[in-house]
């Protein structure tokens, strides 16, 4: 896209929620994914093949945000990279836990606007949205938080070398993932496991949950 996405667009096509696992954060999510996708296509002026991944609280991000809020010493006073930031949930949680500054990286321009809007809603200063960082050297940060980044083989093949390079430069690297097949669990150390509600509860059925783990890259 050749122009920024207006904050008004994000606000107009989403609703505010507090994710079940992270009620400390108020997040704008899609009220109707199909309607939002159609509105994005109208805003683009062309058909988009990319769903609005930024307009959801994904399980890996919720688990990472919960873990950071429960263990603020991981990020307090440090520079943080939120890789695949989406809505900005993890970035906001890092600031609330005392991070000094947060880079929120995502390839989707809608996500970059959503990060800004959600940061403002939560009074989370110090978050800087940035685009794709995987093509270069990892930035100079103390912590990398990566939620839901191993969702397919292509993305995993891009992100793992980047995370490995960040770890080699001294950054702590934490990954939140709900058991996707592409995550190389044999290379990681499990820190904590959370049951993340997957949908809103129905009138009779219990809420489905995703068993989601926060991993550390040794």
């Amino acid at each position: 896209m050749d122009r920024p996405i207006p904050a008004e667009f994000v606000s107009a096509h989403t609703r505010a929620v507090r994710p079940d696992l992270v009620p400390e954060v108020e997040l704008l999510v899609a009220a109707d994914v199909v309607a939002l996708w159609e509105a994005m296509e109208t805003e683009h002026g062309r058909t988009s093949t990319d769903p609005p991944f930024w307009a959801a609280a994904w399980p890996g991000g919720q688990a990472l945000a919960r873990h950071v809020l429960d263990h603020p010493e991981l990020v307090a006073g440090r520079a943080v990279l939120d890789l695949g930031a989406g809505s900005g949930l993890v970035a906001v949680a890092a600031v609330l836990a005392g991070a000094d500054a947060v880079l929120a990286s995502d390839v989707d321009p809608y996500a970059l606007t959503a990060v800004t809007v959600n940061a403002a809603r939560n009074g989370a200063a110090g978050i800087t949205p940035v685009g794709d960082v995987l093509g270069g050297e990892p930035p100079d940060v103390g912590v990398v938080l990566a939620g839901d980044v191993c969702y397919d083989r292509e993305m995993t093949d891009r992100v793992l070398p980047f995370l490995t390079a960040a770890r080699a430069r001294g950054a702590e690297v934490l990954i939140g993932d709900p058991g996707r097949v592409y995550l190389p669990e044999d290379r990681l150390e499990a820190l904590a496991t959370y049951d993340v509600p997957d949908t809103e509860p129905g009138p009779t059925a219990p809420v489905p949950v995703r068993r989601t783990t926060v991993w550390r890259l040794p």
Side-chain angles (χ1 to χ4, degrees), residues 21 58-68 90 145-150 173-180 183-186 188-196 209-217:
L21 202 66
W58 294 93
Q62 287 199 54
L64 269 178
R66 179 74 269 148
H67 193 72
V68 164
V90 175
L145 304 173
D148 304 286
V149 293
C150 293
V173 176
L174 303 185
I175 302 169
D177 188 89
R180 295 186 177 90
L183 185 75
E185 295 182 5
D186 58 329
L188 304 171
E189 170 191 350
L191 296 182
T193 302
Y194 302 89
D195 287 332
V196 184
V209 297
R210 300 284 299 274
R211 178 59 60 91
T212 303
T213 302
V214 173
W215 302 87
R216 176 180 178 271
L217 184 63

Side-chain angles (χ1 to χ4, degrees), residues 8-26:
E8 293 77 13
F9 177 91
V10 171
S11 299
H13 295 281
T14 54
R15 62 187 177 93
V17 302
R18 290 187 177 272
D20 294 89
L21 202 66
V22 197
E24 296 92 332
V25 177
E26 184 176 84

Side-chain angles (χ1 to χ4, degrees), residues 90-141:
V90 175
V92 169
V95 169
L96 297 182
D100 186 55
V102 179
L103 293 176
S105 170
D106 204 287
V107 299
D108 189 336
Y110 286 93
L112 301 182
T113 297
V115 167
T116 299
V117 172
N118 284 318
R121 292 184 74 91
N122 290 277
I127 298 176
T128 303
V130 295
D132 189 359
V133 296
L134 294 179
E137 292 294 318
D140 185 16
V141 296

Side-chain angles (χ1 to χ4, degrees), residues 12-69:
H13 295 281
T14 54
R15 62 187 177 93
V17 302
R18 290 187 177 272
D20 294 89
L21 202 66
V22 197
E24 296 92 332
V25 177
E26 184 176 84
L27 197 67
L28 294 178
V29 302
D32 182 326
V33 172
V34 174
L36 173 58
W37 201 347
E38 291 173 349
M40 289 168 60
E41 291 180 348
T42 300
E43 179 75 13
H44 266 208
R46 57 184 171 83
T47 299
S48 172
T49 58
D50 297 323
F53 294 122
W54 55 271
W58 294 93
Q62 287 199 54
L64 269 178
R66 179 74 269 148
H67 193 72
V68 164
L69 288 168

